[in-house]
Amino acid sequence: MDKIEARILKIIDDHAEELQALAQDLFDHAEQGFHEYETAGKAAAFLKRLGLQTREKLAATGVKATITNGEGPHIALIGELDGLSCPSHPHATEKGFAHACGHYAQIISILGAALALTDPEVKEALNGSVTFFAVPAEEFLDASVRAEVLETEGIKYSGGKSELIRRGEFDDIDLSVTDHSLMVARGEAVDLLLGDSAASGFIGKTVYMHGKAAHAAAAPHEGVNALNAASLAMSALGMVRETFREKDYVRVHPYFRKGGEAINIVPSEVVVDMMVRAASLKAIEETSRKVDNCFKGAAMAIGAEAEIVDAQGYMPVPECPADEVLWRAADVLKEEKGIRVKEIPLGQQNAASTDLGDLAAIMPIVNFTFGGTTGALHSRDFKVESPYIANIMPAHMMALTAYHLLKDGAKDAKRIISDYKPEFTKEEYLTYVEKMH
Ligand SMILES: [Zn+2]
């Protein structure tokens, strides 16, 4: 361990009590995506206390502060602000939101990293800029709330990161460091998993099945039953599933948001929300067309009309093997803190999705996931088991990773940036997303 690494560990350890208290506070006050006003306020206040100038209310709630030492690359340390709807969680708020995906700890990780990296001696060892960036709305919102949320604060895109990309907030950033509670190795004997598995992308889809109301008993012949049409579409979708290829990891999971109007009326409008997920953009687009055909064909059979509205989802995340720079940071924690470190197993596909895919499409990502919690993500069982591993160790790891990226003339950051091959330029990305709307 060198002098700077030791200093990073000590600074964060010296503030562990304060960080743990803030972690508990955030955990107990989860907020909906694009509405994380209190969480964002607490993050901004913390950064201001460190003497940093902050920019706030970025895409409603995003918070940014930057430190610079020299000319090197500009890296962002990303933390997600949002909780998710999980009313049965023991720490759910009155509105039913909980941190059942552990995003609160990402905020602690960037704030803890800010504590260490703003220290004059540590900062002096960096060559470049570091932005501490709290970002809104990673969780895809239910279609019913999405429409309302997208109208607030001029939000246009579904995910916090894509909205921030649209607004130019990533224009001057060369590389992002991200973290998350363990995903692929939950329940295994590992505290820190380096790299990121590939994850699926998706589009959101809402089908408004329009029929015609009539008395359900006296005059069903005068009606057009939208529920029957939607149900027939479900059967068609079930039959189409045999065309989904294993390698594409297709998931289509609809639910009925509205099933009709009243018990004695032929349903005249049924609303079906769904996500159409797959491992590649091509497979997402192909599957989307098949799903559309199911609803259009069923509508035709019953005499109803299927109005299909697609919503931009998230891009697939490419597999990011553990970069050597992550190992350099993790080795410190392995030796000094006894942390159990592994790399992500290669060739695995996470069938869930994240808007990290949108960022990864335009810039290199250095990612790690951390343990310390038990229970499935997004479930009422998600809870902190080891407060150090869950809440403080990610801050150590964030700060150490930033240091290793930017030390020695930022040679590792420069190597990763020059090796990176973007899926899209920002303009191409925005054009593609517009097409999805
Ligand atoms: Zn998450």
Side-chain angles (χ1 to χ4, degrees), residues 125-147:
L126 309 176
N127 301 271
S129 299
V130 181
T131 286
F132 309 99
F133 202 169
V135 302
E138 188 275 337
E139 303 288 351
F140 193 62
L141 300 168
D142 258 24
S144 53
V145 285
R146 204 183 319 133

Side-chain angles (χ1 to χ4, degrees), residues 80 101-103 106 138-139 180 183 377-378:
E80 291 159 350
C101 203
H103 294 183
Q106 299 180 26
E138 188 275 337
E139 303 288 351
H180 198 281
M183 288 189 282
L377 296 175
H378 291 208

Side-chain angles (χ1 to χ4, degrees), residues 230-252:
S231 302
L232 189 58
M234 289 295 139
S235 298
L237 183 56
M239 291 180 186
V240 160
R241 287 184 195 273
E242 71 175 14
T243 68
F244 299 167
R245 285 164 299 196
E246 281 75 5
K247 74 179 176 68
D248 290 330
Y249 290 87
V250 176
R251 300 277 192 280
V252 182

